[in-house]
């Protein structure tokens, strides 16, 4: 294939991701996006200018060599492209799907300055899927066993990444997971229609093939404390326990039946597969009207889940507006196409129940944007007397998560800040307890998959150094 | 996979199931529970650790068939395994010397009260146990409770065995006879716990109840188990399951327990049609 010059490359329009029709997909839980075909991928790859000083690489938190892998795609070398990505990112099928690309790699792509950026995320996803479905997943050679053992608490992206890195360095790794399925938010939070669970499953299988031992149904701090694990022969530990504590609104009526935390609503659906009830045992409530509060990925996942349960009016209620929503842009567009009713500059004030104690409406108040707050975003302030009712028999609260206090509570030497996040020293991943490292949401508060993975990578390097110094 | 090592029926609807669970057996304390998932499509349900044997590495659960999951579980036999078993969860009971402690178990609640009652006895308390059931054949653990109590009072609602009446009547009898407890622990159906709580409130007797809201993860992650205690929202799986009875909003608890009645009925019917 002849290589294109810059002008020719710039002429190619960004390729749209083939996807399920919105009216079809709101009746199923299958993945929205179909993925690029090989032809689409090659054509999209040809748009990349292969910049000598690529901005996109700096925009990616783990600095994937983007032009190189894209160039391999353009040459039709998909398996090689996947290998290239895996040099820096062990979970490309996941990141390609869930990274907020518009704020990271694609947000700074030079082509995006005038036109639309290269679809880096879609391409990353394409090669990862290609590798998986073409049976070409190679297990890299391991370094000789060091005889050292590391305990990892939590099997979210942070824990999975640190485990994968450490085991390849020759250390023995056991991952302890409280739930019955590994994956953290990837398993219980992000829905099937955005991240099919068999993709997560094959990533976990891959780790097992690398030799990582994954123990589910084990709550560190309860089943055994971290100190007990360390005494029983682990030489170091990594805590990636995430930000799993639901935040409620503290408004009247919150304990009515039909009011869910997003964690509960999504866990029932994704982890327990309540969308397959009664084939699966765990039930979930359905309603004609559903209100979801929040503006992040969690809120978006909850409201789109509700739509798929046959909800007539699925409202997303957010106290700011479209521009300020932290959710991924793609999800916001998908939600809009699916008929989600966005209600901006609005906040709930109380829930109203019926005689049986089930929620039937929510009273909301309108907001206006005032002066900017510490985050630089304009702060919403309630407009007096603007209260009104929205009918809904189900409500989901998705306004953020706190950090799970279990590990700090049961491991006194680990210090936390006032939000309950584990304190790490000097931008490293070491905690205040020697030999214990931490990363991901338990350190950052609610952040992203790729940042959690980045922490896992850094922690693996630091743990390796620590183990060698011991 | 956690294997069932022993099983026997204590009553037509209550099974005693001993499972292999070495870690849990070692770290559990009275008042804590586990979450069980019977099979791959199963729900996660909370069950109290009635007994543990650290040396053998087993824990014993006492389970009453209520809906689909408990019915399925109670049909399992020794040699079979449950898909998942996680714990020990929840805060252990607060055990110390109070003086005279009355522990009250209604129905399968007796199984939940059993380990804590033993711990009260071991802490030097004078222990009086009141155990009740609807009818004679639903009464469990009478002998076991006798072994660890200074006195045991047995009631059946229908009078088919021992005293006819409710456990509240027996507690009232004790109080009126000047056998005033320093602490009451009451575990059983919500209406029973509420009635005990109302009774002891009038006499200002400190009372603890073990609450049984719907749970999902059991680790403080989902909030479904929230109960209002003293006007504050608590998560029973991490802040409880034991709370000060006089602070508990029993109405709220009753209401939230009804969240999935329709679905539970369907599940049980499907199970029964499948058994046939
Ligand atoms: C609904 C939802 C949607 C999201 N969508 C996106 C998205 O599209 N893109 C994106 O980049 N980010 C998204 N995020 C954020 C992202 O998922 C998180 O930042 C990321 O998962 C954090 O990874 P982690 O490894 O730190 O923790 P988690 O993924 O939270 O995993 C922590 C794990 O540790 C386990 N655990 C906790 N305590 C213990 C213990 N004591 N013992 C044993 N195990 C324990 C938990 O059960 C859990 O499995 C989303 C988050 C949510 C909730
Ligand atoms: C901390 C705790 C300890 C418990 N210990 C014991 C015990 O030792 N022995 C025992 O027999 N029972 C115990 N229970 C109650 C037991 O968990 C329920 O009976 C069981 O979950 C019912 O499940 P099911 O599918 O059989 O019935 P379902 O038909 O699903 O439900 C029947 C009723 O049980 C309650 N329930 C339903 N789902 C749940 C759930 N996920 N969690 C809690 N309650 C639910 C509701 O009131 C419901 O109406 C305990 C409950 C809690 C919270
Ligand atoms: S990992 Fe995320 S940020 Fe990095 S290149 Fe891939 S999609 Fe972009
Ligand atoms: S910045 Fe854009 S055009 Fe340049 S290398 Fe990266 S993806 Fe290609
Ligand atoms: S059961 Fe989920 S928080 Fe208690």
């Amino acid at each position: 294939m002849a290589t294109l010059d810059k002008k020719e490359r710039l002429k190619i329009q960004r390729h749209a991701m083939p996807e399920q029709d919105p009216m079809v997909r709101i009746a199923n839980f299958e993945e929205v996006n179909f993925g690029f075909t090989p032809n689409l991928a090659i054509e999209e790859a040809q748009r990349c200018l292969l910049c000598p000083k690529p901005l996109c690489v700096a925009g990616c938190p783990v600095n994937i060599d983007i032009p190189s892998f894209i160039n391999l795609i353009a040459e039709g070398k998909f398996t090689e492209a996947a290998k290239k990505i895996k040099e820096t990112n062990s979970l490309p099928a996941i990141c390609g799907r869930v990274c907020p690309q518009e704020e990271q790699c694609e947000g700074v792509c030079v082509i995006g300055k005038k036109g639309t950026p290269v679809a880096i995320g879609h391409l990353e996803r394409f090669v990862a899927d290609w590798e998986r479905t073409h049976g070409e997943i190679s297990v890299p050679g391991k370094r000789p066993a060091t005889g050292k053992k590391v305990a990892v608490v939590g099997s979210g992206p942070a824990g999975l990444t640190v485990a994968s890195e450490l085991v390849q360095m020759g250390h023995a790794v056991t991952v302890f997971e409280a739930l019955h399925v590994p994956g953290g938010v990837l398993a219980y939070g992000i829905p099937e229609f955005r991240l099919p669970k068999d993709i997560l499953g094959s990533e976990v299988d891959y780790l097992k093939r690398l030799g990582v031992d994954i123990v589910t149904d084990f709550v560190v701090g309860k089943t055994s404390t971290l100190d007990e694990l360390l005494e029983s022969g682990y030489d170091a530990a990594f805590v990636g326990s995430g930000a799993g504590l639901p935040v409620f609104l503290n408004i009247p009526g919150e304990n009515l039946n039909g009011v869910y935390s997003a964690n509960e609503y999504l866990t029932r659906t994704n982890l327990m597969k309540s969308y397959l009830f009664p084939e699966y045992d765990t039930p979930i409530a359905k309603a004609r009207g559903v209100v979801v509060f929040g503006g992040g990925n969690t809120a978006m996942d909850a409201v789109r889940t509700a739509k798929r349960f046959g909800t007539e009016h699925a409202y997303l209620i957010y106290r700011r507006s479209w521009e300020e929503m932290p959710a991924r842009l793609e999800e916001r567009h998908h939600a809009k196409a699916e008929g989600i009713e966005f209600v901006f500059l609005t906040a709930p004030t109380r829930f109203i129940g019926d005689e049986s104690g089930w929620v039937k409406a929510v009273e909301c108040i309108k907001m206006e944007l005032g002066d900017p707050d510490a985050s630089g975003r304009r702060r919403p302030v309630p407009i007096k007397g603007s209260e009104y009712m929205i009918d809904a028999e189900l409500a989901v609260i998705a306004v953020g998560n706190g950090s799970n206090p279990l590990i700090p509570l049961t491991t006194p030497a680990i210090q936390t800040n006032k939000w309950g996040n584990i304190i790490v020293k000097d931008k490293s991943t070491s905690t205040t307890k020697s030999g214990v490292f931490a990363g991901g949401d338990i350190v950052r508060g609610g952040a992203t998959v790729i940042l959690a993975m980045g922490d896992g990578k850094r922690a693996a390097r630091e743990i390796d150094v620590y183990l060698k110094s011991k | 996979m956690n294997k069932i090592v022993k099983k026997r029926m204590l009553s037509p609807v209550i099974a005693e199931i001993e499972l292999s669970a070495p870690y849990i057996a070692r770290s559990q304390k009275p008042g804590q529970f586990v979450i069980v998932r019977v099979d791959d499509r199963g729900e996660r349900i909370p069950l109290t650790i009635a007994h543990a044997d650290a040396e053998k590495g087993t824990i014993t659960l006492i389970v009453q068939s209520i809906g689909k999951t408990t019915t399925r579980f109670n049909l399992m036999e020794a040699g079979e395994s449950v898909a998942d078993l996680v714990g020990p969860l929840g805060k252990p009971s607060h055990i110390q010397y109070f003086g005279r402690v009355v522990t009250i178990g209604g129905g399968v609640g007796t199984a939940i009260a059993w380990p804590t009652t033993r711990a009260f006895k071991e802490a030097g308390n004078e222990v009086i146990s009141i155990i009740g059931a609807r009818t004679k054949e639903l009464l469990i653990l009478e002998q076991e409770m006798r072994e660890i109590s200074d006195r045991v009072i047995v009631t059946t609602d229908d009078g088919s065995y021992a005293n006819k009446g409710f456990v509240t009547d027996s507690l009232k009898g004790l109080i009126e006879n000047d056998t005033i407890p320093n602490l009451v622990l009451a575990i059983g159906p919500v209406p029973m716990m509420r009635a005990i709580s109302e009774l002891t409130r009038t006499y200002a007797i400190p009372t603890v109840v073990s609450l049984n809201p719907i749970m999902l993860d059991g680790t403080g992650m989902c909030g479904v188990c929230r109960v209002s205690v003293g006007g504050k929202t608590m998560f029973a799986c991490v802040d409880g399951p034991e709370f000060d009875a006089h602070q508990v909003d029993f109405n709220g608890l009753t209401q939230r327990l009804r969240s999935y009645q329709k679905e539970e009925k369907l599940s049980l019917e499907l199970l029964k049609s499948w058994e046939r």
Side-chain angles (χ1 to χ4, degrees), chain A residues 59-62 64 66 89 95-96 99 101 104-105 120-121 124 450:
Chain A
C60 167
V62 296
I64 291 182
I66 296 169
N89 178 347
C95 293
C99 263
Q101 285 93 4
Q104 299 178 355
C105 52
I120 303 170
E124 181 172 338
I450 189 72

Side-chain angles (χ1 to χ4, degrees), chain A residues 21 102 261 436:
Chain A
D21 182 86
E102 71 275 12
S261 75
V436 178

Side-chain angles (χ1 to χ4, degrees), chain A residues 348-367:
Chain A
T349 49
R350 65 189 170 112
F351 296 102
I352 319 290
D354 66 13
E355 351 30 84
S356 71
W358 199 279
V359 62
K360 66 170 185 187
V362 53
E363 185 190 75
C364 293
I365 188 161
K366 296 206 172 111
M367 316 286 273

Side-chain angles (χ1 to χ4, degrees), chain A residues 8-36:
Chain A
E8 287 170 312
R9 288 177 188 262
L10 283 173
K11 255 196 240 148
I12 313 171
Q13 293 297 307
R14 178 171 163 131
H15 296 79
M17 168 61 82
E19 61 181 41
Q20 280 196 70
D21 182 86
M23 291 306 114
V24 173
R25 70 186 189 232
I26 57 169
N28 66 50
F29 277 83
E30 278 145 45
E31 192 174 12
V32 169
N33 289 341
F34 291 127
F36 278 165

Side-chain angles (χ1 to χ4, degrees), chain A residues 85-104:
Chain A
I85 299 177
K86 281 201 167 162
E87 285 171 11
T88 35
N89 178 347
S90 51
L91 304 170
I94 293 167
C95 293
R97 286 174 165 83
V98 305
C99 263
Q101 285 93 4
E102 71 275 12
E103 291 171 18
Q104 299 178 355

Side-chain angles (χ1 to χ4, degrees), chain B residues 14-44:
Chain B
I14 302 178
E16 182 185 68
I17 302 174
E18 186 180 348
L19 295 125
S20 146
Y23 279 104
I24 303 175
R26 209 178 316 149
S27 49
Q28 66 81 38
K29 296 204 172 67
Q32 289 190 298
F33 63 95
V34 291
I35 292 245
V36 176
R37 218 166 59 102
V38 170
D39 61 30
D40 254 2
R41 295 183 172 193
E43 200 174 355
R44 296 169 64 99

Side-chain angles (χ1 to χ4, degrees), chain B residues 225-244:
Chain B
C225 63
R226 61 195 189 274
V227 287
S228 177
V229 181
K232 283 218 303 251
T233 294
M234 300 283 200
F235 290 179
C237 70
V238 285
D239 302 322
E242 288 180 7
F243 293 101
D244 175 354

